[in-house]
Amino acid sequence: MANAWFETVAEAHRRAKKRLPKGVYMALVGGSERGLTVDDNMNAFGELGFAPHIAGLSQTRDLSTRVMGQDLALPVMISPTGVQAVHPEGEVAVARAAAARGITMGLSSFASKSIEEVAAVNDKTFFQMYWVGTREVLLQRMERARAAGAKGLIMTTDWSFSMGRDWGSPMIPEKINLKAALAYGPQIALRPKYALQWAKSRTIPDLTTPNLAPAGGGPAPTFFGAYGEWYGTPLPTWEDIAWLREQWDGPFMLKGVMRVDDAKAARDAGVTAISVSNHGGNNLDATPASIRALPAIAEAVGNDIEVVLDGGIRRGSDVVKAVALGAKAVMIGRAYLWGLAANGQAGVENVIDILRGGIDSAVLGLGHSSIHDLSADDLIVPDGFTRSLGVTPAQKVVEAAVKSA
């Protein structure tokens, strides 16, 4: 299609909204409760300014980096997200797009496509796990991911299942049956292009979780069946996380860190990377934006483990701001889902290209030849912007004295 290309993530968002049934769209955009964290994740980037140069700029820029043992063409990673009912190819299309653009693919254990399908099209796939089930079951899932070719493991712990949303929670069926079809029928009738793409694929949205299928065989649980298993599983301790890390001999990320003390505990548990993340605002509402928590965490553990940021990335300039404040890379979620909804694999590639262009433009304007030259000196950080969570008052006094010395 001649007009399939879009020039901003905001345009991909508009097209996704126009194309998707209301319930599917609302499942993507909404955060928990009042949505304070969702808004702050994006608005916080707008509070940060740049200090650009105007001459002596570099003719070429190196945007590549290396995270969790994988070479990336730019400091962007695909964040794992749950069942992707926005497009028939779902995570497979996303993985192909990521491979085409030289970045890693994060696959959720709650994904609609299997680790085998996804790792087959992207050899830089990380498999994401929740603490769901017994240790034996966790090991079985891990071994399956290893056998499929996953290069790293992501353990997500920032998920409290706060379901209430002030603007209304979308109806998500247990499975696609006659009752669900009747309930969603009016919404789908208003989005004929969405219906047509599924009809052409001769499939229907799959709300099962193939990566959680029993090792001995049997049907995969539905999303809500998996939720029930999570709800019945005792929550992990730091000892549990250290144990799981010991079982995986490759790169291991702990996702959901927002406090300095938790970052240090993750380091002590042996992880190789952490994601500063508030689950995109879908966890505990009124948690500050992840970019606000990043500087203190990166300063505390950044020389010991790799730090990435997840939350609110909509532009290449957002990526640059995160890297300047201590992240090695960022993870994107809603942005690529909007691209997927707007134009499938090509739409995801389009989103990644938009981010690449914005990163390159910002690195150029800041007078650097590499993203590795970025620092907080390139930014205008207003007073009171950062949040040093998990730091005692006494530690804050010491930090302030060191900075002023």
Side-chain angles (χ1 to χ4, degrees):
M1 294 175 59
N3 64 342
W5 182 84
F6 43 85
E7 63 180 12
T8 66
V9 174
E11 176 59 22
H13 184 179
R14 285 190 286 269
R15 294 188 187 189
K17 184 176 183 179
K18 186 176 180 180
R19 187 181 190 94
L20 296 175
K22 182 178 180 181
V24 178
Y25 171 75
M26 291 303 296
L28 296 184
V29 298
S32 61
E33 299 181 341
R34 292 176 63 188
L36 297 173
T37 300
V38 172
D39 291 342
D40 198 36
N41 269 348
M42 293 181 291
N43 294 338
F45 282 102
E47 297 178 24
L48 296 169
F50 284 127
H53 292 280
I54 59 169
L57 306 181
S58 177
Q59 295 294 333
T60 59
R61 276 79 55 198
D62 178 13
L63 307 184
S64 64
T65 191
R66 185 174 177 83
V67 180
M68 291 181 68
Q70 300 301 308
D71 293 322
L72 308 181
L74 63 160
V76 174
M77 307 162 70
I78 296 296
S79 187
T81 60
V83 176
Q84 295 178 5
V86 302
H87 190 277
E89 291 188 317
E91 295 86 355
V92 171
V94 178
R96 286 178 179 143
R101 295 301 184 263
I103 65 174
T104 57
M105 170 69 187
L107 180 71
S108 172
S109 56
F110 283 76
S112 60
K113 303 296 182 182
S114 71
I115 179 62
E116 291 81 9
E117 293 175 277
V118 170
V121 299
N122 189 314
D123 64 0
K124 298 179 179 181
T125 294
F126 298 148
F127 183 64
Q128 176 265 354
M129 295 174 61
Y130 290 100
W131 192 267
V132 176
T134 65
R135 284 191 172 191
E136 180 182 3
V137 169
L138 290 168
L139 286 176
Q140 290 170 349
R141 290 174 188 149
M142 181 188 294
E143 290 307 315
R144 178 181 171 184
R146 194 196 312 274
K151 295 298 192 297
L153 199 69
I154 301 173
M155 180 67 189
T156 299
T157 54
D158 62 332
W159 196 23
S160 65
F161 278 101
S162 177
M163 302 302 289
R165 300 181 177 192
D166 284 10
W167 48 86
S169 299
M171 189 278 286
I172 301 176
E174 174 74 14
K175 58 183 177 180
I176 302 299
N177 52 23
L178 179 59
K179 180 179 178 181
L182 291 174
Y184 259 91
Q187 293 185 35
I188 295 175
L190 295 173
R191 298 292 185 266
K193 291 183 179 179
Y194 176 83
L196 181 60
Q197 70 180 3
W198 285 97
K200 287 182 176 179
S201 72
R202 297 184 179 181
T203 61
I204 59 175
D206 189 355
L207 301 182
T208 60
T209 54
N211 294 306
L212 299 181
T222 64
F223 179 87
F224 285 107
Y227 164 71
E229 187 178 2
W230 172 86
Y231 197 77
T233 302
L235 297 174
T237 65
W238 283 112
E239 289 74 18
D240 288 326
I241 291 171
W243 169 82
L244 188 67
R245 196 279 170 270
E246 289 174 357
Q247 313 311 308
W248 182 265
D249 58 4
F252 185 106
M253 175 190 290
L254 184 66
K255 184 175 181 291
V257 176
M258 285 291 293
R259 296 169 55 105
V260 170
D261 51 359
D262 281 351
K264 291 179 178 179
R267 176 196 60 195
D268 295 343
V271 308
T272 53
I274 59 173
S275 174
V276 179
S277 169
N278 49 41
H279 212 95
N282 277 299
N283 187 24
L284 185 62
D285 199 27
T287 300
S290 51
I291 189 68
R292 298 189 192 277
L294 172 65
I297 291 174
E299 183 176 357
V301 301
N303 292 326
D304 303 325
I305 56 180
E306 295 176 330
V307 178
V308 304
L309 177 114
D310 188 323
I313 300 295
R314 300 293 184 269
R315 299 167 183 82
S317 58
D318 296 338
V319 179
V320 168
K321 290 171 183 177
V323 173
L325 290 179
K328 290 202 69 175
V330 305
M331 302 180 81
I332 59 171
R334 290 181 177 92
Y336 78 76
L337 288 173
W338 293 331
L340 180 66
N343 195 28
Q345 177 181 335
V348 179
E349 293 175 6
N350 196 159
V351 165
I352 298 170
D353 290 343
I354 289 167
L355 296 179
R356 178 195 294 276
I359 296 168
D360 186 65
S361 178
V363 172
L364 168 64
L366 293 170
H368 297 307
S369 60
S370 168
I371 61 165
H372 299 287
D373 297 331
L374 293 166
S375 73
D377 292 338
D378 294 308
L379 303 182
I380 303 167
V381 183
D383 292 340
F385 176 83
T386 59
R387 303 287 188 271
S388 298
L389 308 180
V391 178
T392 67
Q395 290 172 324
K396 291 181 180 180
V397 171
V398 172
E399 290 177 359
V402 170
K403 290 181 179 179
S404 63

